[in-house]
Amino acid sequence: MTIAAPTADFLVLPPRPDSTADLLAASARQRGMAVELLSGPVLPDRLRHATGAHLRGGPVFAGAVAEDLDLVLLEPDDDWLTRLPYEYTHRDITLTTLGEARWSRTPMFVKPPRDKSLTACVYADGSRLPGDADHPADTPVLVSEIVTFLVEYRLFVLDGTVHAASRYATHGRLDPAPLDACPHRAAVLDFAAGLLDTCGDSLPSAVVVDVGLASDADRGTEHWAVVEANMAWFSTSYAADPDRVLDVVLRAAGPRDRLAVRDRAFVRPHAAVG
């Protein structure tokens, strides 16, 4: 039996969806959207000419199906963190390559700009960084001073405002909670408002920004700072309202013919996704 292609907006999920994908699928169905759980990275023929596709999944999966679905994936620039005013980072951050970072002989925090191709953590020096075939020397990485975050929050941003949010870590340990239930709610939203008002044009219209309360042990002070920015179509929702998270995901990975002019600079090339 041939199954007809969707005739309205639909959400495509990878073969092994995570808990966030399950929550978004439930929200999508409540809106009347079809949810397509693929059995592999090859798109079924019935979906190749369908319109209205959206996606939630990892970079490899997205790279396999995005072009055939004619959808675009929005993401922040690799060097976005490095271009922020110091008042929003409170640390020196450099975009470099894994090969260059391997020359460092001082402790540092290293992470990929967006993809999770490398474990983001503190490395005692560059010799501890991986050097195998899966981590070539030209792999881009962000290298920063080591910062201790007391508590961290995930913000799903839509059109320059916080659309959904959740605490996700306390003292470096997973600790999800809705933002509205957190004592730092007002401080988080105030910091985010200043950041987005000043730097919102340097981000896609749908994106995830993580922020946190950092401790400066030397000075005995605390301050709010940006942790990182990520693509919304592959970010864990934690305790954020899944229906509002879905709003952001649908914009972040949606039909090419709906792409806003201001987002053209943030479209990820399909060739680089996989």
Side-chain angles (χ1 to χ4, degrees):
M1 180 179 66
T2 300
I3 301 176
T7 57
D9 282 13
F10 61 100
L11 180 65
V12 176
L13 301 179
R16 291 177 294 278
D18 58 13
S19 59
T20 295
D22 289 338
L23 290 170
L24 298 184
S27 292
R29 292 188 179 101
Q30 289 178 352
R31 299 185 184 193
M33 294 178 63
V35 175
E36 300 286 345
L37 179 63
L38 300 191
S39 60
V42 178
L43 199 67
D45 288 340
R46 66 184 180 81
L47 295 181
R48 291 183 181 276
H49 301 292
T51 58
H54 300 268
L55 176 144
R56 201 284 172 181
V60 174
F61 171 73
V65 302
E67 186 170 5
D68 287 337
L69 288 169
D70 198 29
L71 60 78
V72 292
L73 305 163
L74 303 183
E75 62 182 5
D77 294 332
D78 281 355
D79 64 348
W80 181 72
L81 266 179
T82 70
R83 293 187 279 113
L84 288 181
Y86 188 82
E87 65 185 285
Y88 294 118
T89 62
H90 289 274
R91 64 196 187 277
D92 293 328
I93 307 169
T94 303
L95 177 65
T96 184
T97 64
L98 200 53
E100 289 294 327
R102 290 182 185 130
W103 288 97
S104 175
R105 293 299 174 258
T106 59
M108 56 187 171
F109 180 81
V110 182
K111 70 175 293 294
R114 293 152 295 142
D115 294 350
K116 309 305 179 185
S117 57
L118 172 74
T119 301
C121 66
V122 173
Y123 292 86
D125 59 57
S127 68
R128 307 299 179 91
L129 290 165
D132 52 53
D134 291 332
H135 302 91
D138 61 354
T139 301
V141 291
L142 290 168
V143 176
S144 76
E145 297 177 72
I146 299 171
V147 175
T148 299
F149 283 101
L150 304 177
V151 60
E152 297 165 75
Y153 293 87
R154 171 149 296 173
L155 313 178
F156 285 83
V157 176
L158 186 63
D159 292 326
T161 62
V162 177
H163 196 69
S166 169
R167 185 181 70 204
Y168 65 89
T170 302
H171 298 293
R173 296 185 176 183
L174 191 63
D175 186 25
L179 178 62
D180 287 345
C182 297
H184 293 115
R185 178 184 181 278
V188 169
L189 294 178
D190 184 63
F191 177 76
L195 169 71
L196 296 172
D197 184 59
T198 304
C199 309
D201 289 343
S202 62
L203 287 168
S205 67
V207 68
V208 162
V209 178
D210 293 343
V211 304
L213 181 62
S215 171
D216 188 331
D218 292 337
R219 297 182 177 86
T221 60
E222 298 175 354
H223 52 260
W224 290 95
V226 176
V227 178
E228 62 180 347
N230 286 300
M231 49 272 206
W233 45 272
F234 188 44
S235 292
T236 303
S237 60
Y238 297 112
D241 181 341
D243 199 50
R244 294 182 70 83
V245 170
L246 181 61
D247 291 335
V248 183
V249 172
L250 295 181
R251 175 81 66 81
R256 181 179 302 276
D257 60 8
R258 300 181 199 173
L259 178 66
V261 173
R262 59 117 33 230
D263 281 328
R264 289 177 182 172
F266 304 106
V267 173
R268 183 168 183 161
H270 291 314
V273 176

